[in-house]
Amino acid sequence: MKEVFYIILSVFLIYNVFTYYFLVKTYQKTILSKLFYFILYLCTLEIAPYYFMYYWVTKN
């Protein structure tokens, strides 16, 4: 059961990394012009859920 969870989690993370890479390449000029808002978005909506998932997995 744990192996399946880790496989699904790793596939999800790999998919997210590739998606973010292509989005950043596509919208690079827009992101650089509004860099503060981009960092704020990443911290609140993208990084925080991973931190809570890590905490949940390591706590159990």
Side-chain angles (χ1 to χ4, degrees):
M1 184 66 182
K2 274 190 173 182
E3 294 84 17
V4 173
F5 174 73
Y6 289 130
I7 290 171
I8 292 171
L9 185 63
S10 62
V11 167
F12 180 71
L13 289 175
I14 291 170
Y15 173 75
N16 278 342
V17 167
F18 282 121
T19 303
Y20 291 137
Y21 173 75
F22 289 119
L23 285 175
V24 167
K25 281 301 237 186
T26 304
Y27 298 108
Q28 190 171 8
K29 285 189 179 249
T30 306
I31 289 172
L32 289 176
S33 67
K34 297 177 175 40
L35 188 61
F36 174 74
Y37 296 109
F38 178 69
I39 293 172
L40 187 65
Y41 165 78
L42 281 179
C43 290
T44 56
L45 299 177
E46 300 300 330
I47 297 172
Y50 291 124
Y51 172 75
F52 290 120
M53 283 191 323
Y54 170 77
Y55 178 77
W56 177 69
V57 168
T58 57
K59 180 102 171 163
N60 292 334

